[in-house]
Amino acid sequence: MSRRRHDRWLLIRLAAQNVGRRRLRAIFLGVAVMLGVGIGFASFVAGWALRDGMARSFSRMGADLLVVPRATLVNITASLLTVQPTDETLPADLAQRIAAIAGVAQVAPQRIVPALVEGHNVNLIAFDPPQDFSVQSWVEARQAEPLEGLIAGAALSARLGETLSVCGMPMRVSARLGKTGVGPFDESYFLTFAALADIVSFCRTSDARAAAKPAPAKVDDVPAIDDMRHGDANVCSGDLPLDRVSAFLLQLSPGAKMEDVKFGLAQLADAKIVEGNGVLTSSRQALSTLLIGMAAFTAFQLIALLILVSLLFSAIVQERYREVGLLRAMGAQPNQVMTIILAEAAVITELGGLAGLGFGAAVLLTFARSLGFYFALLGVPFSWPPAAVLQIGAVLAIVFSAVLGLVGAFLPAWRVRRMAPYALIQAEGR
């Protein structure tokens, strides 16, 4: 076992010496790998950052289509954000039928409920965080992850971390939204459907306590009923049905036609379909095509680099036929000769990959400080991916560079392995 390990280490040392013998050639090959790996790594990170930034920017543009009850008024601005406060609702299980229609990529239900917050009439807008694409993208300040409690609209004076009485139930403001310019959006509080269910349960329990104790001896025995009472029975009602929604916000999948989706939605009973800004919809759909094009361009670039490495090592191996033949004549096994060639290729390309990481980082820093600022002015923020993504990308770049050398040199090494020693010695070095 130790003998094999010693032989393997000897072969690697011989491969490293071969790299040092032809330094200029190794440098040119390493630079080619450095450029390919560096540009590939920079494209991956920049594409990730721009994809997130553009997705966030497009998500702020609201929905492509809105499915609401027929009697509902819709607030349409440059972006379709939300519906006007209404008592009209649709069944929540309608989301499954809508999601099954061809061309619908996302369905985000919302429920608008009137409530009393600190004794003032406001609207609560309930949403489902995993399905949402129009609320969380506007969050500018937050305390908790995931979002819990209330999310205050930009026009409200509630401070981050402040505890408010919502229908008598204390709830903390965990986030605030940026200013959208749309009244119902800026003047409402947002919360999850689960939080809305907690409020309804609290109101139901409080109503039962109030009915059982019409004249309580101590104020502490009963929640703040005064904050719950209102002339409208629909406000802070414990009988609010939780299986209803006020609107379904829809985003279309790339390539989907608006008219085809609207035709499918027309089959829904008692529902009205409202169309958003067509230009924004087309831009959002084109985003996926653009990112796929960038990925394809990077893949073609790496394939071209693989062909270049293969051609270079074909020439390198061909000019060393006599040297390889002498090694074979002295007792070197075919697999040992192949190991030397593959190890030499892996050493050069892996060093080039390490240099490529530094080159790619320099390109990214330059991009972030130049075009990154320009994209930020256009509303597309350039935000670095998480540290885990950067680490995975760096490891993959190094591994890819080593594999690139192995794959590129495999065919020339395999061809030499099959040749007889005397044929290699008699061959002319070219």
Side-chain angles (χ1 to χ4, degrees), residues 306 309-310 342 345-346 349 400-412:
L306 176 62
V309 172
S310 181
L342 293 180
T349 54
F400 174 80
S401 61
V403 172
L404 182 69
L406 294 175
V407 174
F410 180 80
L411 184 59

Side-chain angles (χ1 to χ4, degrees), residues 88-92 110-111 193 196 241-246 248:
E88 302 292 331
T89 58
L90 291 170
Q110 288 187 0
R111 177 70 185 273
F193 278 107
L196 178 62
L242 298 175
D243 59 345
R244 310 287 295 184
V245 298
S246 303
F248 294 98

Side-chain angles (χ1 to χ4, degrees), residues 310-331:
S310 181
L311 290 175
L312 284 175
F313 268 94
S314 294
I316 291 172
V317 172
Q318 193 173 17
E319 74 175 10
R320 291 165 53 186
Y321 273 175
R322 292 187 180 183
E323 178 185 337
V324 175
L326 288 173
L327 285 174
R328 290 287 309 279
M330 293 170 62

Side-chain angles (χ1 to χ4, degrees), residues 87-169:
D87 294 332
E88 302 292 331
T89 58
L90 291 170
D93 57 8
L94 199 62
Q96 299 178 357
R97 292 181 55 189
I98 296 175
I101 296 175
V104 176
Q106 272 187 287
V107 180
Q110 288 187 0
R111 177 70 185 273
I112 302 178
V113 178
L116 290 176
V117 177
E118 295 294 322
H120 300 288
N121 289 322
V122 295
N123 290 313
L124 301 179
I125 301 181
F127 67 99
D128 187 9
Q131 297 176 303
D132 170 67
F133 54 81
S134 66
V135 176
Q136 297 174 95
S137 59
W138 285 97
V139 172
E140 288 195 347
R142 63 193 304 167
Q143 279 197 333
E145 184 68 40
L147 291 175
E148 298 176 353
L150 293 176
I151 304 174
L156 298 172
S157 59
R159 298 183 302 274
L160 196 64
E162 182 180 1
T163 299
L164 303 178
S165 172
V166 182
C167 294
M169 176 179 173

